[in-house]
Amino acid sequence: MAGSQHGRFLVNRRVAARLHTRGVTLVEAMVVVAVLSILTSIAVPSFNTFLGRSSTLGVESEFVNAISFARSEAMRRGVPVAVTAKSPVGGNGFGQGWFIWVDSNANSVFGTGDPVLRAHAAYPADVSLGDGSVTQIYFNQQGYLVGALWQLKACSTNAAGATGYQITITAGGVIDVQDAVSCP
C-alpha cells in the first residue's frame, strides 16, 4: 500500500509540474521587447563611436608601425630611409597612401635607384592621416628624424562624430601617440 501511494504521489507531482509549466504571457513578452529596445537605443550610438575609434586605432597603429620600421631600417642599413605620402592632398597628407623607401644616394628625393621597402594603399574616405603639411618623414642613417618635431593626426569621421589620435615624432625618432583633442 505504501508503494502505491508513493507511485500516486509521483504521478500527481508530474501532473502538477505540467500544469505549472506555461508559455510566456503577452505582458511578459511586451516587457522584454521594451527593455531590449531601450538597451538597443543606448548601445547603438556607443557602438558607432566604438567602430570609429577602432578604425582610427587601426590606421594609427599601421602608420606608427611603418614609421618605426623605417627608423629601424635606416639604422640597420646605415642609409637614410623615408616614409613618403603617395599623392598628398590638402587636409589628408598620408591618407591617400604612402610608401617606405631607401634613399640610396642620400639626397632626400625619391628616384629610380631608390628601392621601395613597403607601400600602403589609400585609406577610406572618412579617414585622414595628416593635414598635408607633412608629406615625408625622413630618418638619417643613425635613426634620427631629419627636420624638426613632426606632428600629425589620424582622424576618422563617422555618425558619432570625429575621433582621432595625435602622432608626434621627436628629433630623436621617438614616437608618441595621444588622443587628439580635435579632429578636422
Side-chain angles (χ1 to χ4, degrees), residues 2-79:
S4 68
Q5 284 182 349
H6 185 271
R8 219 179 326 160
F9 176 72
L10 287 176
V11 171
N12 288 339
R13 196 169 176 188
R14 287 183 195 147
V15 170
R18 279 192 217 138
L19 290 176
H20 290 293
T21 305
R22 302 180 300 168
V24 177
T25 66
L26 181 61
V27 172
E28 292 169 337
M30 295 292 284
V31 168
V32 168
V33 168
V35 169
L36 286 176
S37 64
I38 291 169
L39 291 176
T40 302
S41 68
I42 292 169
V44 167
S46 299
F47 188 66
N48 284 342
T49 302
F50 169 75
L51 289 177
R53 299 271 310 159
S54 293
S55 68
T56 310
L57 179 62
V59 169
E60 173 267 322
S61 295
E62 282 178 344
F63 196 67
V64 167
N65 287 337
I67 295 167
S68 296
F69 173 75
R71 181 174 184 255
S72 68
E73 284 297 303
M75 290 185 294
R76 186 178 75 78
R77 294 171 183 259
V79 293

Side-chain angles (χ1 to χ4, degrees), residues 2 10-11 20 23 27 29 39 58 63 80-81 88 108 113 121 128 146 163 165 174 177:
L10 287 176
V11 171
H20 290 293
V27 172
L39 291 176
F63 196 67
V81 174
S108 73
S128 65
V146 175
T163 60
Y165 297 94
V174 176
V177 178

Side-chain angles (χ1 to χ4, degrees), residues 59 63 85 88-96 123 127-135 137 151-155 165 167 184:
V59 169
F63 196 67
V89 295
N92 198 359
F94 290 90
Q96 301 301 311
Y123 290 104
V127 173
S128 65
L129 186 56
D131 61 3
S133 62
V134 176
T135 58
I137 300 168
Q151 289 186 330
L152 49 101
K153 291 180 185 176
C155 295
Y165 297 94
I167 302 169

